[in-house]
Amino acid sequence: MLLFKHVKDLQWYLQFIRSGNRKLGLVPTMGALHSGHLSLIRQSKVENNVTICTIFVNPTQFNESSDLKKYPRTPNKDAQLLLEVGCDILFMPLETEIYPPGLKIRSDYAFGKLEKVMEGAFRPGHFAGVAQVVGRLLDIITPDHLYMGQKDFQQVTIVQKMVQQRKDNLNVVMCPIIREADGLAMSSRNVRLQPEIRERASIIYQTLKMAETSIYEKSPAQIKSVALQSLDIPDFRPEYFEIVDGYTLQPLTSIEQSDYVVACTAVWAGKVRLIDNMVLISPHK
Ligand code: AMP
């Protein structure tokens, strides 16, 4: 595996890859890697000749500076995991490489209602930051495929919209959520959960499963109300639980309104904010 820290060096090397007409898969991450991230690398390896993972804790997508400060950073372990899984290139830039003074990064994307709900509503500026860093990485790397996790469902939807507007010749691939044995979605933030809170964190998965089993029996409003109660246990505080259209991300009042129904939630578990989701009705069925 090759490690690059500077944009110029990486681009010099990528020239050779391009000239060989090889397919390039990009997996952007913020590090503290776990099996969820590695599943994206594996999928990219199947579909491309060269896989590049980026590790950059992007300050512009954090709406709380304490969250940025506490974000786990494990660069040596990350590099070891990427080596073991057969990643070809690791790009681990300093902030000045991604945001050099004076560089203008496109920010005129129109996400409309997609960014007004859920994460967009509770984390002001978050998606502008995500669009900024993903746009910059796409400009630097120009991959053929971009791998993102369903774990961040709204993020994938917004990045797809951004890619359409940029007119990149790029395929955005959404990869399934990888979970712990008890159902908790893997997240770099999980290491910050206190043990007694971690033990009960599978309530989020159980609540999503409850929504899945009752989707044809109860209305979205009824499911939402039961879910918010189920998540309201000591040390936990649900921020939202929404049943939305998977294309527009707008809340549904009836499942008749959509063939793609997704439940999305954000829950405070102690001092850690967790997000999760589940496709309740899939458009492929
Ligand atoms: P992050 O480092 O949290 O920014 O995540 C980098 C990428 O990994 C994003 O596309 C995430 O959606 C994805 N990811 C994070 N956790 C998981 C998971 N449990 N399963 C699948 N993908 C994930």
Side-chain angles (χ1 to χ4, degrees):
M1 182 172 74
L2 292 168
L3 167 67
F4 293 96
K5 296 203 159 197
H6 298 280
V7 170
K8 253 179 38 201
D9 298 340
L10 174 68
Q11 287 186 318
W12 176 82
Y13 182 71
L14 290 178
Q15 261 180 200
F16 292 100
I17 288 175
R18 292 263 158 251
S19 63
N21 206 20
R22 298 183 189 92
K23 290 272 177 257
L24 182 58
L26 168 63
V27 181
T29 80
M30 298 203 297
L33 301 182
H34 50 67
S35 303
H37 298 114
L38 301 182
S39 73
L40 272 55
I41 305 278
R42 287 195 190 94
Q43 186 153 343
S44 170
K45 278 182 64 70
V46 171
E47 296 169 0
N48 299 277
N49 306 99
V50 176
T51 291
I52 171 164
C53 175
T54 62
I55 296 182
F56 178 63
V57 183
N58 174 36
T60 69
Q61 72 187 71
F62 284 81
N63 50 322
E64 282 185 22
S65 56
S66 65
D67 190 25
L68 171 62
K69 227 164 115 190
K70 283 188 226 145
Y71 201 82
R73 289 165 171 87
T74 55
N76 294 340
K77 188 177 156 216
D78 291 348
Q80 184 60 37
L81 288 170
L82 290 171
L83 194 66
E84 284 168 17
V85 80
C87 183
D88 301 294
I89 302 174
L90 168 57
F91 180 47
M92 205 156 33
L94 287 177
E95 197 179 330
T96 46
E97 290 289 305
I98 297 296
Y99 303 125
L103 180 80
K104 270 219 170 316
I105 299 177
R106 184 176 167 181
S107 63
D108 62 338
Y109 306 110
F111 299 127
K113 286 182 175 174
L114 290 180
E115 65 170 344
K116 301 279 182 287
V117 292
M118 302 191 288
E119 293 304 285
F122 284 95
R123 301 186 67 189
H126 171 64
F127 287 120
V130 169
Q132 189 179 37
V133 73
V134 175
R136 174 79 172 122
L137 290 172
L138 293 179
D139 288 343
I140 296 170
I141 297 167
T142 60
D144 300 284
H145 296 102
L146 171 65
Y147 294 84
M148 309 201 84
Q150 184 201 319
K151 163 81 174 20
D152 299 275
F153 188 79
Q154 190 171 10
Q155 172 171 279
V156 184
T157 311
I158 283 186
V159 167
Q160 276 164 340
K161 187 91 182 169
M162 180 182 92
V163 165
Q164 273 172 18
Q165 290 172 33
R166 287 168 53 98
K167 301 195 171 72
D168 286 323
N169 185 16
L170 168 74
N171 186 10
V172 181
V173 184
M174 183 163 80
C175 304
I177 303 175
I178 305 297
R179 299 179 178 281
E180 302 286 357
D182 67 350
L184 177 66
M186 289 192 181
S187 163
S188 305
R189 289 186 168 87
N190 290 355
V191 295
R192 290 181 45 216
L193 293 170
Q194 289 168 333
E196 65 279 12
I197 291 181
R198 168 65 191 87
E199 267 171 32
R200 287 174 288 133
S202 65
I203 187 67
I204 302 170
Y205 177 67
Q206 288 159 20
T207 305
L208 289 165
K209 283 304 260 184
M210 176 282 294
E212 186 185 39
T213 48
S214 48
I215 190 66
Y216 293 107
E217 285 143 32
K218 295 192 177 114
S219 70
Q222 285 169 326
I223 295 174
K224 174 173 169 169
S225 156
V226 177
L228 288 172
Q229 279 172 39
S230 140
L231 291 166
D232 194 7
I233 58 171
D235 302 316
F236 288 71
R237 184 172 63 80
E239 209 164 55
Y240 64 80
F241 186 100
E242 298 291 354
I243 295 182
V244 301
D245 174 86
Y247 306 106
T248 65
L249 306 183
Q250 303 310 297
L252 295 168
T253 50
S254 153
I255 58 164
E256 306 300 319
Q257 295 168 316
S258 175
D259 69 339
Y260 188 14
V261 180
V262 187
C264 300
T265 189
V267 181
W268 283 95
K271 292 200 167 94
V272 184
R273 187 175 181 277
L274 301 175
I275 59 168
D276 201 350
N277 67 81
M278 190 174 284
V279 175
L280 307 183
I281 300 177
S282 157
H284 309 299
K285 272 186 194 161

